[in-house]
Amino acid sequence: MAIDIGRRQVISALGGAARIAIALAFTAALTTRGAAQDFVAPPGAPVAAFPKPKRPVAGIVSPIWRGEKERDAAGEPRQLVRLLGIKPGMIVADIGAGSGYYVVRLAPIVGPNGRIIAEDVVPEYLRNLRNRVRDLGLQNVTISLGEPHDPRLPAHSLDAAVLVHMYHEIAQPYGLLYNLAPALKPGARVGIVDAIGPTLKHGTPPSLLRCELAVVGYREIAFHLLTGSNAYLAIFAPPSDESRTRPDAMIACTQ
């Protein structure tokens, strides 16, 4: 369900309560329609409002991190589902969905009463993912094109968000985390999976991850080393809309 430019302008001009009501209405509509529909929510704070990260940002070089059979053998999805508590009926956003490795594995778990929102900033990845979802007949997946600083997701719609092997590629982490927070319901959780290593080598040091999320107001509630690889899962509670750190008060972390 693509939103045309004129409608975006109208929505962005409305007050906060009206924007939330419209976003919730769009979300309700998406849960009752067919597979792999497009969606974009009104924009959040602009990229210029946030400090630039004081660490290297890895390039987006591929829609996949490792081979799917290799990841299955390591048991990464099973660990994430168990540790993050993903259950039937939940609405989960896969931020940086790429090839859809997690999308196609989480969709059956949340079931027909749940939904996976597959978000990415690379249109080509989403086109390929849309085809994959269609070919698999998944009826509970929504395709969402975001921006590097803003996932453009519906307000108060998500039970969980996952960012898997892509945090090191986020060009504006403070903006993305700030603009993601309003999309999360009270009690929602954010799960970040990454390798232990420098960002230029497609990993994120846990201390750097904790620092950058704390800058925005996220609180770490669990940290797990995953078996079968050198990756970890860090779980965070998001700040409320009111308790988020103001963009002009943020101080970028150093690696």
Side-chain angles (χ1 to χ4, degrees):
M1 178 176 62
I3 299 176
D4 60 35
I5 299 300
R7 188 181 298 176
R8 291 180 194 169
Q9 292 173 341
V10 170
I11 291 174
S12 63
L14 295 173
R19 288 199 299 271
I20 291 172
I22 290 173
L24 290 175
F26 284 140
T27 305
L30 285 170
T31 61
T32 61
R33 299 194 180 192
Q37 298 191 41
D38 294 332
F39 179 81
V40 62
V47 64
F50 300 96
K52 294 181 180 179
K54 293 183 178 179
R55 45 88 168 172
V57 176
I60 302 175
V61 296
S62 172
I64 61 173
W65 172 60
R66 289 163 65 184
E68 296 200 359
K69 290 183 179 180
E70 186 180 6
R71 296 174 76 178
D72 286 344
E76 181 184 287
R78 292 194 302 274
Q79 295 177 75
L80 180 141
V81 167
R82 176 176 59 84
L83 295 170
L84 197 55
I86 296 176
K87 297 178 173 61
M90 294 179 71
I91 299 179
V92 180
D94 184 0
I95 308 296
S99 67
Y101 175 79
Y102 267 89
V103 171
V104 303
R105 286 160 177 78
L106 294 180
I109 293 173
V110 301
N113 295 321
R115 179 155 291 271
I116 301 298
I117 300 180
E119 187 270 358
D120 210 295
V121 300
V122 182
E124 180 183 358
Y125 294 173
L126 294 181
R127 285 193 295 270
N128 293 334
L129 179 53
R130 185 182 296 109
N131 292 336
R132 183 178 189 182
V133 167
R134 180 201 61 209
D135 293 344
L136 291 172
L138 299 177
Q139 297 294 315
N140 61 346
V141 174
T142 296
I143 300 296
S144 180
L145 179 64
E147 301 177 61
H149 74 290
D150 186 353
R152 302 289 295 274
L153 297 175
H156 305 294
S157 62
L158 304 178
D159 298 295
V162 296
L163 297 82
V164 181
H165 295 295
M166 53 74 67
Y167 186 87
H168 48 270
E169 298 174 351
I170 299 174
Q172 180 38 267
Y174 305 108
L176 185 140
L177 293 167
Y178 182 90
N179 287 321
L180 172 63
L184 295 155
K185 299 176 184 177
R189 296 291 180 259
V190 175
I192 300 178
V193 175
D194 215 336
I196 297 176
T199 54
L200 274 183
K201 293 188 176 181
H202 292 270
T204 303
S207 59
L208 174 65
L209 182 74
R210 294 181 178 114
C211 180
E212 291 189 344
L213 273 88
V215 164
V216 184
Y218 287 73
R219 177 174 56 88
E220 184 180 22
I221 57 176
F223 182 87
H224 306 275
L225 295 175
L226 300 179
T227 61
S229 71
N230 70 330
Y232 61 83
L233 167 65
I235 302 175
F236 295 86
S240 67
D241 295 359
E242 297 75 20
S243 65
R244 289 178 297 173
T245 306
R246 299 189 323 273
D248 61 0
M250 293 180 184
I251 300 175
C253 302
T254 55
Q255 191 165 7

